[in-house]
Structure formats: structure tokens, C-alpha cells
């Protein structure tokens, strides 16, 4: 649902909404929260609803970030969001109770929408298993390092060693639950080399994608989360061999034993490359 | 009658020569003889430096009904056109035709001279701003003739545009009439658009704010062509002449389109040693050059030449060795002026050499890839860069249709729509560049290939580029923006869009 | 229903529009647009449709359009009306 790269777009800006479909992000996160001034929350909701009706976002998952459940705006937000065709709601400063609240509202509306908790407080890092476990609608999470470091009262650096624990903790959790995890956005939109480094760091920890806060970041992130051709070719070779072996246990490729972890890795590679295992011939 | 670009052209246009309808981009070769120019002898001991513009106007014998010309290297910082016309108006001369290579916002006083009957005709390659709007509202009785850069030189050489007096803004001149554009407080770089004027006008007056001792070096336009030199305080405002620097777009959509265009160049097989190309100075066009540069670096490719309209970006590529030569009709920024001054591989060329279709081969014929902009492009790939969506003049070909016709791969880069205006449309408001000379359209929503180019289409598809039908792009744009209403025009023709070969490709009518 | 107080919605940024509504005897719509020549008719139609769909019978509407797409026009007009508040006087 979240894919390799999810692009934040302010729900208050028609120009940005208009162009958002043109970028190659796997998902778009329309923002009703930080990007929208308090006096413009009503206008942003209305604009977004009309936009989702009018514009075509074919092939992209639509996620809407509502205001935190500690604010006065979230109820109106969710009211609007539930009437749209969005794929998921992103809940900022998520707590287990927030996820349960939103989830039961969705249940009562017979909605198929998913929930993406935004993990950006010290408490929510500690409670991550309860947050993910709060609803089967949670198919992925986003780590928000800016608010997290603010909550911790520590300095946020570009190199990011101060968020290493939280970042790794969440990456572990997404794999424990088998869900997707978006790494925190890189906020210096001018620094593409820094973005590259930061993306690779998140990827090495186990994230499955990263949020972008500017369209210019999309291509870089997407490329880094898309497996290279060598990896894809090897994965295809593995899956072909699996099929030929027909469940006969262990076998080898080029003299190397192929066991369950290697097969699992090949599956993930193909998944990330958006290649269906059944389409391999 | 309907011309070969599918436009309805009247068989007679009042105030315009005999109408030759556009019959195809490569269908009308030059014939006859190149025009003759008048001898004027300067004997030994003669003095060319005059004290004022008025004196020069008197000496050259300017009279009612004549044609005077200007070049546009001073761009929106030009003082010369206004200065000369003010003097002429004071002298009571009327009914002049202005043959300016381009007209900018700074030329607003021209409107007053039209109202007073000093100016009754205009021919130009590009007109923007107040004057353009006044023309579209019908201020002139005679239709304006709009040409391409190469087309203007062709018309001058063919004798269709006969210039009685050329007034040449010269950033540096010596006392005997040698000129260049690379020194002085108003340095503009190349003087490429003024060469034909100097060569074929009956009389040539250089106006400079940097008069130097004889002989000037280097010499762009030489003393054998120049009658008089007038020194004035300033010939232009440096801020309007060249920009401090030209920048690549920061608009993410523009960057995406540019990146796709660079992929098109690679997929089409032109990304190899010897590559030559031109891009406009617009942000998206420059971004294409930037992506192309990355590809050239990565593949260790050395190009041949860059053409233009030269920007600092091209200068960097020359310095880096990615291009061997720059051929320059006009400098867009200070860096390119400096490079023209200092780098022997950066060469000033005339706009006739650049784009005149009827000489023995213009440089555009040697061009591999051209990156073009568009105000509108229609489903027949015709491009409009002359009029806005309201039918009002806001540009002109410049080198657009010259380079499209000459280059091997002409790529139009544009957003599918801007604001709520569809750029890909059913039928362009004005045809500036015929679709038969355009190969590819790149938009953020996909790449359309001219159907006459099946091979190219296949190459792009094989490279996994998002190739779509141009009708699909148009449908997409219309679904978002809605189908636009027709523009309401009056019957009167306010401008004739001449194709580079002198045929009429379209007419522009007075707006309501 | 009638517009009971003045309100605005939207911006003058590109691709957006600024909608101003205020009380008025009867209905009046003024439109200013950078695409008037090609889309003026359509914009007026949209404005009138939204007004009608919200049962507004009196009010002054001023639209300053900077190239907004249909959806944006609709959203801005609707929010301007909501912000102004309506009164069922009849």
C-alpha cells in the first residue's frame, strides 16, 4: 500500500494537487495536518474531496494524513475522509487507543480503508507492538523523526545517529508483523546526495520505502528501493529453480545451495521490483 | 485556400505582398538572385563619427516611407530603438516601416509613434508586451509581418525586406565603423542578428556608448559596411541586456519532463560522440541540457557543437570538453559574453548562417537535436509560439521553425496543461512551426511521437518510455481543463505569420 | 437562502481562485479570470450551479480566478458560502 516512495502533498494547494499525479510515487499522502494552517482546515478538506473525485490517480495509493486525535480537527477530518475513495488514513502521533478509535469508526461505516500510524513520539516507539496490533487495518507505518526528536528534546542532525534506536526498533517491528514501513522523510530538499545516503541507511535497517516531502525526491528514493537488474535476474533464476524442483527440498544454483532464506529473499526482490512470481516463464 | 499546415489563408491580404501559401517545409527553394546593395564611397580623409543621432538621420537622407532596421541583442534593455525614433519623430519624418529582429516591453514608446503616424509598418521575428497587444488590437493599418530568424535574413537577402537605414546598437565601435559586441558597458556578446542588416541596408549607422581608437579588435561587423558612428551616453540597460545567470528550472514537473526528454535523446540513438544540440534558455529546456550532460559524462561522450542562444550552461559544457564548439547568434548571460570574448572555440555566427533556409546550408541543418518550447501544440504536431490562448500576439518564431526544420530530432517539451489552459490542443491558435518538422512531444503524462516516424516510436517503446498517442494527451488535457471556447476575432488581419521560406503559414486576426 | 455576512475562500496563487461573498439584494456574480476568453462561460456555469445546489437566493459573488480547475472552483465557492453562513429568511 505504501510502496517504495510515498509523496506528501499539502491538501491546501491546488497547484500541488494538480501536479501530484504526474510524479512516479507509489503512494500520495495528502496532508490535512502540518501543511495546512488552522484557519484553512475546512477549505483543505473540501478541496481534497473534490480533487479526489475529479483527478485521476490511477496506479497510486491515496493516503490522507488527518490531524492528531489530540486536536479539535480530527473528527471532521475523518468524517470527510471516510466519504472519499482513499486507501488509508494516516494518524499522526499515533497511540494504540487512536488506532482502535479510527478502526471502529471504519468498521461501523463498512469501510475497507487501511490505517497508517505515524510513529513520532517516544511513547509510540515504546508501544509500537500495541499500535500495530491495535487493528488489522494497520498495513504499514511511517517513522517521523522530526517530531520524535522534538518529543525527546534532542537535537536532530542530518547524519541521524540520535534516531538510530527508534528507527531500527520500528524497522524490526514491521518485519515482526509483516507490514510495510516508511522511513522518515529527509528534510533538506536541495541535498540530493544527502537524501541518497539517508535513504540507503533506512533501507539497510529494513524499511520497505521512504516518504518524500518534495517531488524532486521521488525519483532518487524510488530508484534506491527498486532492486537492481542483477538482483532481479538472480531472483528470477531462483524462482524458476524452485518451480523446477517442485517442492523436492534442497537444490543448488551455480553450485550454491539454495535454502529457505534465499528463496524468501528472492521473493522480496521480485515483489519490490513489482514483478509477479507467476509471470516468470 | 487551405495551406499545407491546414490553415485557411485568404488569397489576397491587404497591405501584404502577393500571398504564397505554405506548401510544405521543404518545398520552396530559393531562386532568383541575392539582392544587390548600394555602393557608398568613403574617400580617404573622410570622417565617420557624428555628433548626434539627428545628424546621422539627416546625413543618411532618411525620408517618409522608408524602412529602418534594428537588432535585438540589447533585448529588454534596449535604448537605441526608442532613441532613434524619438529623434526621427521630432524631425517630422513619417510613414516609416520598422524592421526590428524583435520587439520587447521596453519598446512601448513605439505605440505613440504609431499613433502619430511616424511608424506605419512593422516586421519582426518576435514581439511581446505592450506593442504586441496593441498590434493585436489593430493599431496598425498594414499587417505586421512575423518571420523566423532565418526567415528574416532570407527576406533581406531576397530583397523582400529592403532596409533603407540600419541602426546598429554597437557595444563597442571604433572611429572608422568597426564593431563588436563583447566589450563596453553594454556588452551583449554576439551581434549575429545584425549582420544581414549591415550587409544589405543602403545606409548603416552604428550607435555606441563605447567609442574606441582605430582599429578595434576583434571585428564583428567591419568598416566597409558602416557609414557613420554616433556616440551616445548609453545604448542599453545592462540588467535587461543579459541576465546575470540563467538557471535550470526548480519546478519538479519541468524537471520530470526534462529528464524524460533526455531519455528520448538517448533512446533515439543520438547520444554518441559528435552529438550537436540546441536548447532554449527557458528553465525546462536548460534542464534537458543538464540531464543530457549527466548522460554524456556517464558514457564519456564528446559532443560536437552547441548552437543558439548560448547560456552559461553551454559554456560550462565547452570548458568541460563535453562540447568542442559553440556557435553563437546571441548570448543570454554574462558568462557566455565572457566566453565569446575569451574562448576561440566559441564563435559568433550570423543569423543567416544560423537559419536562413535558402542559403547553401544553414547551421540548423547540421543540428542533431533541438529542444523546443510550445505555447500550444495540436494533434497534428503544429506548434504555436506566436499567440497566447486569447489570440493576442506574445512571441513569435525566433529560431523555432528554423531549428525544427533543420534538426534531425526536434523535441517539444511542455506541461500537458498550465493553470487551466490545455497546452496540447485540437488546433493551435496560430501555426508557427508546422507539425511535419516536429518529431516528438514530451509531457509529464507521456511522450507522443509524430506518426510519420514509426522507427522512432519503436525505439522509444523498446526503451520502456511511456509512449502515448497525441490524441490521448489532448483528451487528458481537455478532461481536466474542459474544452476551450473559440476565440472571437474580427475579420481584419493584423499580422501575417511567414514561414521561414517566405510562404504564408498562418494569419493573425484582430481580437475583439 | 441568503448570504448573511462577508467571507472569502481560496487564494490568488496560480491554479487557485479567490472567492468573496457578501450580502446583496438578489444574486450577482462577478468573474475575473486569466482564462476569460476561453473558459469564462464555463466558469460562470460552475459558479451558478454551485449557488443553485446550495439553494442560495441572494448574495454577491466575486470570483478572481487564476486558472483553477473545475473541482477547485467548486470547493472554493462552497467553502466561501459555508464561512459566510446562510440564513433562511423567507
Amino acid at each position: 500500500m505504501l510502496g517504495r516512495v510515498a509523496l506528501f502533498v499539502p491538501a491546501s494547494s491546488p497547484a500541488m494537487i494538480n501536479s501530484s499525479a504526474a510524479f512516479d510515487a507509489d503512494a500520495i499522502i495528502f496532508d490535512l495536518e502540518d501543511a495546512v494552517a488552522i484557519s484553512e482546515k475546512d477549505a483543505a478538506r473540501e478541496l481534497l474531496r473534490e480533487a479526489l473525485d475529479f483527478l485521476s490517480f490511477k496506479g497510486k495509493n491515496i493516503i490522507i494524513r488527518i490531524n492528531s486525535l489530540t486536536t479539535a480537527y480530527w473528527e471532521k477530518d475523518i468524517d470527510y475522509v471516510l466519504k472519499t475513495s482513499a486507501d488509508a488514513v494516516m494518524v499522526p502521533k499515533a497511540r494504540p487507543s487512536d488506532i482502535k478509535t479510527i478502526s471502529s469508526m471504519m468498521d461501523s461505516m463498512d469501510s475497507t480503508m487501511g490505517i497508517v500510524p505515524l510513529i513520532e513520539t517516544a511513547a509510540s516507539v515504546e508501544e509500537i507492538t500495541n499500535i500495530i496490533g491495535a487493528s488489522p487495518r494497520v498495513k504499514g507505518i511511517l517513522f517521523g523523526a522530526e517530531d520524535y526528536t522534538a518529543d525527546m528534546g534532542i537535537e536532530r542532525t542530518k547524519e541521524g545517529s540520535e534516531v538510530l534506536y527508534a528507527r531500527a526498533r520500528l524497522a524490526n517491528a514491521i518485519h515482526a508483523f509483516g507490514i510495510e514501513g516508511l522511513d522518515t522523510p529527509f528534510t533538506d530538499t536541495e541535498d540530493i546526495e544527502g537524501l541518497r545516503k539517508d535513504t540507503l541507511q533506512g533501507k539497510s535497517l529494513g524499511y520497505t520505502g521512504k516518504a518524500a516531502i518534495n517531488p524532486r525526491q521521488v525519483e532518487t528514493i524510488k530508484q534506491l528501493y527498486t532492486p537492481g537488474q542483477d538482483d532481479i535476474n538472480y531472483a528470477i533464476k531462483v524462482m524458476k529453480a524452485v518451480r523446477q524442483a517442485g517442492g523436492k527440498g534442497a537444490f543448488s544454483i551455480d553450485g550454491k545451495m539454495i535454502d529457505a532464506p534465499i528463496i524468501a529473499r528472492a521473493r522480496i526482490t521480485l515483489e519490490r521490483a513489482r514483478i509477479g512470481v507467476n509471470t516468470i516463464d | 485556400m487551405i495551406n499545407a499546415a491546414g490553415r485557411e489563408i485568404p488569397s489576397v491580404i491587404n497591405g501584404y505582398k502577393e500571398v504564397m501559401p505554405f506548401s510544405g517545409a521543404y518545398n520552396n527553394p530559393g531562386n532568383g538572385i541575392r539582392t544587390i546593395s548600394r555602393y557608398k564611397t568613403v574617400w580617404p580623409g573622410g570622417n565617420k563619427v557624428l555628433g548626434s543621432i539627428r545628424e546621422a538621420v539627416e546625413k543618411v537622407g532618411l525620408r517618409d516611407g522608408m524602412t529602418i532596421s534594428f537588432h535585438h541583442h540589447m533585448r529588454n534593455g534596449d535604448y537605441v530603438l526608442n532613441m532613434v525614433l524619438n529623434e526621427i519623430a521630432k524631425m517630422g519624418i513619417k510613414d516609416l516601416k520598422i524592421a526590428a529582429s524583435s520587439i520587447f516591453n521596453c519598446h512601448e514608446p513605439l505605440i505613440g509613434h504609431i499613433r502619430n503616424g511616424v511608424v506605419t509598418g512593422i516586421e519582426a521575428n518576435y514581439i511581446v508586451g505592450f506593442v504586441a497587444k496593441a498590434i493585436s488590437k489593430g493599431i496598425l493599418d498594414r499587417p505586421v509581418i512575423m518571420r523566423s530568424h532565418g526567415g528574416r535574413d532570407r527576406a533581406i537577402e531576397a530583397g523582400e525586406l529592403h532596409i533603407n537605414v540600419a541602426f546598429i546598437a554597437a557595444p563597442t565601435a571604433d572611429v572608422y565603423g568597426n564593431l563588436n559586441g563583447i566589450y563596453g558597458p553594454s556588452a551583449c556578446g554576439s551581434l549575429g542578428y545584425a549582420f544581414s542588416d549591415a550587409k544589405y541596408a543602403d545606409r548603416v549607422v552604428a550607435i555606441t556608448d563605447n567609442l574606441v581608437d582605430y582599429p578595434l579588435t576583434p571585428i564583428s561587423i567591419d568598416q566597409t559596411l558602416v557609414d557613420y558612428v554616433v556616440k551616445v551616453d548609453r545604448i542599453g540597460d545592462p540588467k535587461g541586456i543579459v541576465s546575470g545567470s540563467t538557471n535550470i528550472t526548480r519546478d519538479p514537473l519541468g524537471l520530470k519532463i526534462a529528464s524524460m526528454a533526455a531519455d528520448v535523446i538517448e533512446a533515439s540513438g543520438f547520444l554518441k560522440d559528435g552529438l550537436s544540440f540546441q536548447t532554449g534558455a527557458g528553465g525546462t529546456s536548460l534542464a534537458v541540457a543538464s540531464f543530457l550532460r549527466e548522460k554524456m559524462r556517464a558514457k564519456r561522450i564528446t559532443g560536437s557543437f552547441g548552437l543558439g542562444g548560448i547560456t552559461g550552461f553551454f559554456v560550462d559544457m565547452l570548458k568541460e570538453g563535453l562540447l568542442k564548439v559553440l556557435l553563437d547568434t546571441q548570448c543570454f548571460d554574462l558568462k557566455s559574453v565572457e566566453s565569446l570574448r575569451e574562448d576561440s572555440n566559441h564563435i559568433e555566427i550570423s543569423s543567416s548562417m544560423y537559419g536562413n533556409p535558402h542559403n547553401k546550408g544553414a547551421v540548423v541543418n547540421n543540428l542533431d537535436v533541438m529542444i523546443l518550447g510550445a505555447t500550444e501544440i495540436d494533434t497534428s504536431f503544429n506548434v504555436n509560439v506566436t499567440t497566447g490562448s486569447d489570440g493576442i500576439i506574445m512571441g513569435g518564431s525566433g529560431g523555432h521553425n528554423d531549428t525544427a526544420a533543420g534538426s534531425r530530432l526536434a523535441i517539444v517539451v511542455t506541461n500537458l496543461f498550465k493553470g487551466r489552459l490545455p497546452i496540447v490542443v485540437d488546433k493551435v491558435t496560430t501555426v508557427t512551426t508546422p507539425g511535419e518538422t516536429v518529431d516528438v512531444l514530451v509531457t509529464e503524462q507521456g511522450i507522443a511521437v509524430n506518426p510519420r516516424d514509426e522507427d522512432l516510436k519503436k525505439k522509444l517503446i523498446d526503451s520502456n518510455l511511456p509512449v502515448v498517442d497525441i490524441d490521448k494527451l489532448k483528451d487528458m488535457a481537455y478532461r481536466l481543463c474542459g474544452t476551450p471556447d473559440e476565440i472571437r476575432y474580427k475579420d481584419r488581419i493584423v499580422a501575417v505569420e511567414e514561414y521561414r521560406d517566405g510562404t504564408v503559414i498562418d494569419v493573425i486576426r484582430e481580437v475583439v | 437562502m441568503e448570504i448573511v455576512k462577508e467571507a472569502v475562500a481560496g487564494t490568488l496563487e496560480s491554479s487557485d481562485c479567490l472567492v468573496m461573498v457578501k450580502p446583496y439584494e438578489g444574486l450577482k456574480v462577478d468573474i475575473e479570470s486569466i482564462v476569460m476568453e476561453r473558459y469564462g462561460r464555463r466558469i460562470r456555469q460552475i459558479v451558478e450551479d454551485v449557488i443553485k445546489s446550495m439553494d442560495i437566493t441572494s448574495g454577491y459573488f466575486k470570483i478572481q480566478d487564476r486558472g483553477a480547475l473545475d473541482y477547485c472552483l467548486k470547493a472554493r465557492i462552497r467553502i466561501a458560502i459555508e464561512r459566510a453562513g446562510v440564513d433562511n429568511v423567507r
Side-chain angles (χ1 to χ4, degrees), chain A residues 19 22-23 54-55 190 215-216, chain B residues 250 252 255-256 444 479-480:
Chain A
S19 64
F23 301 107
F54 185 81
L55 301 170
E190 299 301 314
R216 280 178 292 169
Chain B
R250 294 173 49 79
L255 287 171
K256 176 177 178 184
E444 73 277 18
R479 200 191 69 75
L480 293 169

Side-chain angles (χ1 to χ4, degrees), chain B residues 265-282:
Chain B
I265 295 168
E266 180 169 19
S268 59
F270 282 101
L271 188 65
K272 55 183 186 212
D273 283 339
L275 167 69
S276 60
F277 67 97
Q278 178 179 345
T279 72

Side-chain angles (χ1 to χ4, degrees), chain B residues 280-436:
Chain B
T284 303
S285 293
L286 267 189
V288 180
S290 153
F291 285 111
L292 197 56
R293 178 173 68 178
E294 293 309 314
K295 287 182 189 285
M296 289 172 79
R297 278 177 182 158
K299 296 200 155 186
R300 298 181 188 289
I301 283 164
T302 306
S304 160
F305 68 91
L307 180 64
I310 296 295
T311 60
F313 196 84
F314 273 62
V315 172
D316 289 342
M317 291 185 76
L318 179 70
K319 284 189 176 150
E320 197 181 325
L322 292 169
L323 290 170
K324 288 181 177 162
V325 175
L326 300 181
L327 300 175
D328 188 346
T329 57
Q330 179 185 21
C331 298
F332 281 120
D333 52 23
L334 291 169
K335 201 171 191 174
S336 46
V337 175
E338 186 191 311
S339 162
L340 182 63
R341 199 158 50 216
E342 282 161 17
D343 195 324
S344 60
N345 290 317
H346 185 160
I347 299 163
E348 177 182 40
I349 62 168
S350 73
S351 49
S352 181
M353 177 168 166
Y354 169 81
N356 179 348
H358 287 173
N359 62 24
K360 291 173 186 166
V363 178
V364 293
N365 297 359
N366 304 99
L367 196 57
D368 286 332
V369 178
M370 178 67 203
I371 307 297
L372 297 160
T375 308
E376 292 172 327
I377 177 167
D378 68 23
T379 50
S380 309
F381 287 84
N382 295 314
V383 179
N384 169 26
V385 289
T386 304
T387 48
S389 65
D390 49 8
I392 293 174
I393 297 166
M394 45 121 287
S397 173
H400 202 284
N401 67 35
D402 295 321
T403 50
S407 61
R408 291 174 191 90
L409 179 67
I411 303 174
V412 171
V413 292
T414 178
N415 297 27
L416 185 65
F417 65 104
K418 286 179 188 159
R420 105 168 274 161
L421 285 172
I423 307 299
V424 185
V425 296
D426 255 335
K427 214 166 182 232
V428 289
T429 305
T430 305
V431 178
T432 314
T433 297
E436 65 172 297

